[in-house]
Amino acid sequence: MSSVHPQSPPENDTVLVVDFGAQYAQLIARRVREARVYSEIVPSSMPVAEMLAKNPRAIILSGGPSSVYEEGAPQLDRAIFEAGVPVFGMCYGFQLMATVLGGTVDNSGAREYGRTQLAVSRSGSTLFEGVPDKHSVWMSHGDACSAAPEGFTVTASTDVVPVAAFENDERKLYGVQYHPEVLHSEHGQQVLEHFLYRGAGIEPNWTTTNVVEEQVALIREQVGDKRAICGLSGGVDSAVAAALVQRAIGDRLTCVYVDHGLMRKDETAQVEKDFVAATGVKLVVVDAEERFLDALKGVSDPEQKRKIIGREFIRVFEQAQADIIADEGPAVEFLVQGTLYPDVVESGGGTGTANIKSHHNVGGLPEDLEFQLVEPLRKLFKDEVRMVGQELGLPAEIVQRQPFPGPGLGIRIVGEVTKERLDLLREADAIAREELTAAGLDREIWQCPVVLLADVRSVGVQGDGRTYGHPIVLRPVSSEDAMTADWSRLPYEVLAKISTRITNEVKDVNRVVLDCTSKPPGTIEWE
């Protein structure tokens, strides 16, 4: 299996976000991109020489849970501040910059958590030009900077922290104690953009048009005159990935839709109708339901289910490859996948983080995979993928479709996967989606996984009889990029209608419950 993936061309104005274990590192990268500047996340363990070898136009130091005084706390080579590259420190990154450059950070117990009033003392500074002198920001720290490094100007403070922001225009080094990337920080995006545009002198020219042009060029370079196949799931990720590759190599792309029996109600018909009509791409539909159900028989462990689904998925592709070669001749050497940046990060491939979950399109691939991977969306967040889809002319029915996991309903059944359980869950899921659409809530929520607790039964009363049925869980969540999420506060009347319909219309279900857990601590999917 090839590990080479298309990367952004070196001519891009790339901003590196150095991750010190921050909860919001991915959010910082997204905010930079919202400013139309390309960004990538790198771990704080990466040697500074490697960071600088990427020729970044600017570097942002993220926050993190550590104290700069803790033994083993992440550190940073002073060379990063002496390379002439503009640097912006946030929270822990701010304190680390201060200590490395000779400032003073006091471990005094001066804590600030949550909304805090910031007082700007230099309103015309690079960071705070046009920003109100008093505004609310989001703090999360236990140490405080009491003296800025030599040559720095203190530009903001709070009642607790005498140095809440400092700037050095000559060296293009800047820092703030708070988190400008979160929405709770008023004018945070403006301050971040001031650093990018004014401090670092970067032009805001990273757009979806650039992404399409760059990726098409990279795909052509990677694939050459060979052929590729793409696993089409019907979701926005695989659809946009396929549309990009088709634009790059035309009819040398064949899309394969594996009907593994784990899809939602009427999904196969929708894929054939909507995507083919929109793109004219060649589509092969493989009926593999029996194969997948046989492989999943008796399996309840979620990670094992993911791996089995991933393994069988690839094997079906290998057979499709053989069939396509037999029909068309030239070898199919490339497999297109709709892997996104959050997939990479959560699977341990982005910042050295722990493996939160394995995906069949990231962590669960067999070692003997015979394809080279083409992953044109690997550096994009979900909202960026939707914008690229719009740029490519895909219809709203595809571009705005709610996310759906690659392993399908197989990981929305807690317990063994059987055809009977899948059919039950399909009906419940269809009802929930119908009612959310009827209520005009499709754009209000990120997605609403519907989960069957197959190994759980509860007592109920339906008609005049006592029942012993399964619970269905509704998991409506709101999110911008799936890295963090909150449960959606759906109207009670909508929840009541969904519950009533499911318990009345779906056999063996007598209870509907609502999951009101944010992410973190819970993931969006149950398995």
Side-chain angles (χ1 to χ4, degrees):
M1 175 175 60
S2 171
S3 59
V4 177
H5 306 287
Q7 302 294 318
S8 292
E11 62 265 26
N12 271 353
D13 290 329
T14 300
V15 172
L16 295 184
V17 177
V18 182
D19 183 6
F20 289 97
Q23 178 183 355
Y24 300 122
Q26 291 79 32
L27 185 56
I28 297 171
R30 284 198 68 255
R31 296 296 183 232
V32 173
R33 295 182 185 197
E34 286 175 10
R36 293 186 293 156
V37 175
Y38 182 72
S39 63
E40 290 184 7
I41 300 169
V42 296
S44 61
S45 58
M46 177 182 285
V48 168
E50 289 186 25
M51 296 181 194
L52 297 177
K54 291 177 173 287
N55 297 315
R57 283 292 304 274
I59 294 173
I60 295 176
L61 310 179
S62 83
S66 303
S67 164
V68 291
Y69 295 107
E70 285 179 10
E71 184 177 350
Q75 298 298 317
L76 200 60
D77 192 324
R78 183 187 180 95
I80 200 169
F81 304 114
E82 298 173 343
V85 178
V87 181
F88 186 25
M90 301 176 177
C91 195
Y92 181 82
F94 166 75
Q95 295 179 358
L96 195 58
M97 181 187 293
T99 55
V100 169
L101 295 178
T104 303
V105 175
D106 299 315
N107 189 3
S108 61
R111 299 174 180 273
E112 287 178 313
Y113 295 102
R115 285 187 176 87
T116 303
Q117 196 72 6
L118 186 76
V120 177
S121 54
R122 294 292 182 95
S123 58
S125 72
T126 296
L127 293 182
F128 296 110
E129 172 73 35
V131 175
D133 290 346
K134 299 276 189 180
H135 61 276
S136 179
V137 298
W138 190 259
M139 291 280 194
S140 180
H141 68 93
D143 301 335
C145 182
S146 58
E150 184 178 351
F152 282 72
T153 300
V154 177
T155 53
S157 62
T158 72
D159 290 342
V160 174
V161 178
V163 183
F166 54 46
E167 307 179 33
N168 187 322
D169 286 319
E170 183 179 352
R171 300 176 65 182
K172 298 189 180 300
L173 303 178
Y174 306 88
V176 297
Q177 177 60 73
Y178 60 95
H179 289 275
E181 73 274 19
V182 303
L183 294 177
H184 302 300
S185 287
E186 297 174 353
H187 309 286
Q189 184 69 13
Q190 185 178 358
V191 169
L192 176 59
E193 290 178 3
H194 280 345
F195 165 70
L196 296 171
Y197 306 156
R198 293 156 58 85
I202 301 174
E203 294 291 331
N205 55 18
W206 190 70
T207 65
T208 52
T209 301
N210 298 144
V211 174
V212 171
E213 292 173 351
E214 292 167 359
Q215 287 303 322
V216 165
L218 288 166
I219 293 164
R220 285 173 178 162
E221 180 182 353
Q222 183 185 9
V223 177
D225 60 357
K226 304 297 183 182
R227 303 185 66 82
I229 60 174
C230 176
L232 198 63
S233 69
V236 61
D237 303 338
S238 63
V240 173
L244 269 172
V245 175
Q246 188 196 35
R247 178 165 293 192
I249 66 172
D251 62 5
R252 286 183 288 117
L253 170 69
T254 301
C255 287
V256 179
Y257 174 78
V258 178
D259 184 4
H260 49 26
L262 307 175
M263 305 305 287
R264 291 172 289 196
K265 189 175 181 179
D266 300 326
E267 198 119 40
T268 300
Q270 290 173 359
V271 169
E272 292 183 284
K273 171 178 171 289
D274 294 337
F275 187 72
V276 175
T279 64
V281 74
K282 289 187 295 184
L283 177 64
V284 174
V285 178
V286 182
D287 183 358
E289 178 181 25
E290 186 175 349
R291 173 178 183 151
F292 278 81
L293 290 179
D294 286 346
L296 290 167
K297 190 173 183 178
V299 178
S300 296
D301 178 75
E303 282 299 296
Q304 191 177 355
K305 284 195 285 188
R306 285 181 178 271
K307 286 182 170 59
I308 289 171
I309 294 168
R311 180 194 70 211
E312 296 302 316
F313 193 82
I314 292 298
R315 296 305 175 231
V316 171
F317 261 83
E318 289 176 335
Q319 183 58 53
Q321 178 197 34
D323 294 342
I324 293 169
I325 291 172
D327 290 341
E328 303 180 20
V332 178
E333 297 185 6
F334 294 90
L335 172 61
V336 180
Q337 293 198 132
T339 309
L340 304 190
Y341 204 18
D343 296 336
V344 176
V345 172
E346 291 197 357
S347 298
T351 61
T353 55
N355 184 8
I356 298 173
K357 61 184 177 181
S358 64
H359 297 253
H360 80 256
N361 61 342
V362 180
L365 291 171
E367 290 297 322
D368 60 344
L369 179 66
E370 296 180 4
F371 304 111
Q372 295 183 63
L373 296 181
V374 180
E375 297 180 306
L377 312 180
R378 189 177 175 88
K379 293 294 186 180
L380 300 182
F381 291 98
K382 176 71 78 172
D383 56 330
E384 295 169 334
V385 172
R386 295 192 195 281
M387 290 188 287
V388 169
Q390 291 172 339
E391 180 75 21
L392 290 167
L394 296 180
E397 291 81 7
I398 293 176
V399 173
Q400 298 302 330
R401 192 172 191 182
Q402 291 184 1
F404 188 62
L409 297 179
I411 59 167
R412 291 184 178 175
I413 294 176
V414 179
E416 182 185 3
V417 178
T418 66
K419 187 168 191 320
E420 293 72 26
R421 290 174 172 181
L422 285 164
D423 289 340
L424 184 157
L425 180 54
R426 263 189 279 269
E427 291 302 319
D429 175 83
I431 289 170
R433 288 188 289 128
E434 284 172 14
E435 293 302 328
L436 290 172
T437 299
L441 295 172
D442 285 342
R443 298 290 183 92
E444 300 295 320
I445 63 173
W446 174 262
Q447 60 175 302
C448 184
V450 178
V451 181
L452 171 65
L453 302 185
D455 290 343
V456 176
R457 287 185 178 270
S458 65
V459 176
V461 177
Q462 290 173 303
D464 295 324
R466 180 184 178 92
T467 62
Y468 198 47
H470 298 289
I472 284 286
V473 180
L474 302 179
R475 173 68 165 138
V477 292
S478 301
S479 178
E480 290 185 337
D481 53 26
M483 300 305 301
T484 60
D486 195 12
W487 66 282
S488 303
R489 276 64 166 175
L490 299 181
Y492 289 151
E493 59 269 21
V494 175
L495 290 172
K497 193 166 185 180
I498 293 173
S499 177
T500 300
R501 283 195 60 192
I502 288 176
T503 52
N504 284 347
E505 299 175 28
V506 182
K507 184 182 177 182
D508 292 330
V509 173
N510 63 359
R511 194 178 298 269
V512 176
V513 300
L514 177 67
D515 182 347
C516 55
T517 311
S518 63
K519 176 189 178 182
T523 56
I524 290 178
E525 300 291 345
W526 272 51
E527 292 201 334

